[in-house]
Amino acid sequence: MQRTVKTFSIDGLDDFKNNLLSWSQQFQTLIWLDSNKYDQQYSNFDCALAVDDFTSIKTDFYNAFDKLKEYQSLVKDYIFGYITYDVKNDVEQLSSENIDELNFADLYFFQPKKIIFIKDNSIEFQYLHLVDDEIEKDFKEIQRTKNFKIKESISDIKIKLRIHKDEYHTKVTKVLDHIHRGDIYEANFCQEFYAENSIIDPVEVYKHLNQISEPPFASFFKNDDQFALCASPERYIRKEGSKIISQPIKGTAKRLVSEIDDKQIANDLGRDEKERAENVMIVDLVRNDLSKSAKKGSVKVEELCKVYSFKQVHQMISTVVSEINITETHPVDVIKDTFPMGSMTGAPKVSAMKIIENLEETKRGLYSGTIGYFTPNNDFDFNVIIRSILYNQSKKYISYSVGGAITAKSIPEKEYEECLLKAKAMKYVLLNSK
């Protein structure tokens, strides 16, 4: 065991969580994961904070998964990090030629000196031995820490569209042409909203975004001047021993004020043929991806097209599971076999990725990639980076992207409306966080 473990009990956990996120900003590198106590079957903790890299790996897409496999095998400890969407170019003969104003490395993981887990009223410090004498001091300091404020003044933000409405319609029509020709069944087509010469307080914006969404896979990432403020409702993939769990989301409906109307719209979503068809296509893709590493006959659908409710929207989620042989299958290979996640690509996956690469204007980068962690015993858990604000502090560039699944039954106008619904929370917090 490379780490010293100490556990504390505390009342007033919400205050402690706020203090903890503020305290973490003194470090150059950090990842914060928050389930917002969402009631879910698969979960290890309510919150986790990993700070201060002892070792790390940062690379472009070329041989990225092999490098990650080597790093993860060598470290044999907790590692936290991200994989951008463009690591698809390591898995298939693909490229990413679109505009990239954020400049995140394609893959980044680090071994934190300090990890803090929160579960119920228990706070567990897991520090590497070289810093374990700081646990008591840090615990007291966190309790005293108040809001961290950035030194720069916050600027007014003017959000621009990378693809305007008429152009969006034209591009979705091109996707539909591919579908009608039989090139693909479905494609997840995305568009970027962005702001230039803009300064935000990343912590305050994240808190605001998280507060209005309260999703189960929220995360805050910082590495030097790059930030990801993520309010994701979607799990990409998780490993528990020999069990693999993937939970793709396809199908969205807005929440309504009236309880009766809200229940009705959720029921309607569950029965909507187009939304179910989208979801089932991606479930088939995920089953196929999982079967590459699974024991024969072990891929199963635990839940199909179940509607879950979040603060902003209802979502249709399916749960697909499999069993692997843990002595023969490396955990990184399970991720490589399923990457990028089907809910953000389309089917068939490679054809869909080629088509969306040609039609989208922006390199996706961290958007529709994944943030998560590996444990010392080779388990892992990763989200899907959606409903997220990405920020390059040095370039003063802010970005958020949204997308939707285009199928044969898609109507461009309705797809555009769904994009605006998904973008609503990000736009609101950027225009209202001061």
Side-chain angles (χ1 to χ4, degrees):
M1 180 65 180
Q2 303 180 44
R3 295 184 177 271
T4 300
V5 179
K6 278 195 180 173
T7 306
F8 302 86
S9 288
I10 191 167
D11 296 321
L13 210 59
D14 286 345
D15 287 342
F16 187 85
K17 272 176 67 176
N18 267 328
N19 292 359
L20 185 58
L21 188 57
S22 291
W23 173 83
S24 70
Q25 300 306 308
Q26 66 187 286
F27 300 100
Q28 272 195 314
T29 305
L30 73 98
I31 284 184
W32 164 262
L33 305 173
D34 190 354
S35 71
N36 285 294
K37 290 201 164 179
Y38 192 84
D39 185 20
Q40 55 183 330
Q41 183 181 353
Y42 300 105
S43 181
N44 286 10
F45 48 75
D46 298 331
C47 273
L49 174 70
V51 298
D52 204 7
D53 51 326
F54 179 56
T55 67
S56 66
I57 176 176
K58 183 184 274 192
T59 181
D60 62 13
F61 69 84
Y62 185 72
N63 285 340
F65 279 115
D66 286 345
K67 291 170 188 170
L68 176 59
K69 190 194 285 194
E70 185 183 3
Y71 176 67
Q72 192 268 340
S73 302
L74 192 70
V75 171
K76 293 189 177 66
D77 187 19
Y78 281 100
I79 60 169
F80 288 70
Y82 69 74
I83 306 167
T84 65
Y85 173 79
D86 300 289
V87 178
K88 67 183 172 57
N89 305 338
D90 180 39
V91 184
E92 303 289 348
Q93 292 294 305
L94 298 166
S95 61
S96 300
E97 309 295 341
N98 292 328
I99 307 160
D100 176 20
E101 298 288 356
L102 288 158
N103 306 125
F104 282 81
D106 287 337
L107 181 146
Y108 176 75
F109 278 83
F110 71 103
Q111 177 190 15
K113 289 180 190 169
K114 303 179 177 185
I115 308 173
I116 299 167
F117 293 108
I118 299 174
K119 179 79 174 173
D120 300 322
N121 287 330
S122 172
I123 296 149
E124 183 178 281
F125 286 68
Q126 290 204 19
Y127 279 26
L128 288 178
H129 296 323
L130 79 159
V131 291
D132 64 4
D133 59 334
E134 297 174 23
I135 291 177
E136 301 276 352
K137 175 180 75 73
D138 285 353
F139 178 58
K140 286 173 184 164
E141 197 176 296
I142 292 160
Q143 289 176 294
R144 288 195 303 269
T145 300
K146 293 303 170 201
N147 281 355
F148 171 89
K149 290 286 182 190
I150 66 163
K151 295 181 180 69
E152 297 172 280
S153 58
I154 311 303
S155 62
D156 286 331
I157 292 168
K158 292 182 174 62
I159 295 165
K160 300 176 186 175
L161 289 77
R162 189 68 70 181
I163 300 171
H164 288 274
K165 190 175 180 180
D166 290 348
E167 196 183 355
Y168 178 87
H169 280 220
T170 304
K171 286 174 180 285
V172 169
T173 303
K174 285 180 181 174
V175 176
L176 287 166
D177 290 343
H178 282 289
I179 291 168
H180 296 141
R181 281 205 300 270
D183 301 334
I184 49 170
Y185 312 114
E186 176 176 348
N188 194 290
F189 175 63
C190 300
Q191 58 176 320
E192 183 197 23
F193 298 79
Y194 66 101
E196 298 166 301
N197 298 316
S198 297
I199 297 164
I200 58 171
D201 181 332
V203 176
E204 288 307 308
V205 172
Y206 166 77
K207 282 181 184 175
H208 196 176
L209 183 64
N210 188 50
Q211 185 183 9
I212 64 174
S213 304
E214 291 188 354
F217 299 102
S219 55
F220 181 100
F221 168 80
K222 173 189 172 189
N223 183 228
D224 296 331
D225 60 349
Q226 294 174 321
F227 295 82
L229 325 174
C230 178
S232 176
E234 184 171 1
R235 169 178 278 128
Y236 158 40
I237 196 163
R238 175 179 172 90
K239 177 179 175 290
E240 290 183 356
S242 62
K243 187 173 185 176
I244 307 297
I245 302 112
S246 185
Q247 295 182 295
I249 290 180
K250 272 286 157 272
T252 306
K254 63 184 174 184
R255 298 296 307 261
L256 299 176
V257 176
S258 155
E259 192 178 333
I260 294 166
D261 292 344
D262 193 54
K263 275 186 179 171
Q264 185 59 52
I265 203 169
N267 286 335
D268 290 347
L269 174 62
R271 290 197 301 266
D272 188 303
E273 278 186 33
K274 175 192 172 285
E275 303 282 16
R276 287 184 73 90
E278 282 181 19
N279 197 297
V280 169
M281 280 183 211
I282 298 308
V283 165
D284 283 343
L285 190 155
V286 170
R287 285 169 61 199
N288 183 59
D289 282 351
L290 289 181
S291 69
K292 295 173 192 171
S293 60
K295 289 180 182 174
K296 200 169 172 61
S298 72
V299 179
K300 293 183 172 60
V301 180
E302 276 190 352
E303 280 183 342
L304 184 64
C305 298
K306 185 171 176 185
V307 175
Y308 286 81
S309 297
F310 303 92
K311 275 180 94 169
Q312 295 272 310
V313 290
H314 302 289
Q315 302 273 199
M316 191 185 283
I317 305 177
S318 292
T319 301
V320 190
V321 300
S322 67
E323 291 285 330
I324 61 165
N325 186 324
I326 53 173
T327 57
E328 293 176 11
T329 307
H330 195 282
V332 172
D333 286 333
V334 178
I335 296 171
K336 185 178 180 179
D337 285 342
T338 56
F339 194 82
M341 61 294 297
S343 61
M344 295 307 296
T345 52
K349 194 190 260 189
V350 176
S351 302
M353 286 193 286
K354 285 177 179 171
I355 288 163
I356 54 187
E357 181 69 35
N358 286 332
L359 291 172
E360 290 174 2
E361 296 288 326
T362 318
K363 181 178 170 179
R364 287 194 187 178
L366 204 50
Y367 171 69
S368 77
T370 183
I371 288 176
Y373 65 95
F374 290 86
T375 70
N377 60 353
N378 288 334
D379 284 344
F380 57 69
D381 205 359
F382 286 88
N383 73 0
V384 178
I385 302 174
I386 51 175
R387 318 286 204 276
S388 301
I389 295 165
L390 306 176
Y391 179 44
N392 186 314
Q393 198 171 36
S394 300
K395 291 180 76 174
K396 300 180 182 175
Y397 187 86
I398 303 164
S399 168
Y400 62 92
S401 294
V402 289
I406 313 301
T407 66
K409 293 184 177 177
S410 290
I411 299 160
E413 183 63 45
K414 284 197 170 176
E415 294 298 337
Y416 191 77
E417 284 170 15
E418 186 178 313
C419 281
L420 295 184
L421 173 65
K422 289 172 177 172
K424 190 177 167 187
M426 282 91 75
K427 182 179 180 181
Y428 178 81
V429 298
L430 285 171
L431 298 180
N432 292 279
S433 293
K434 286 287 179 187

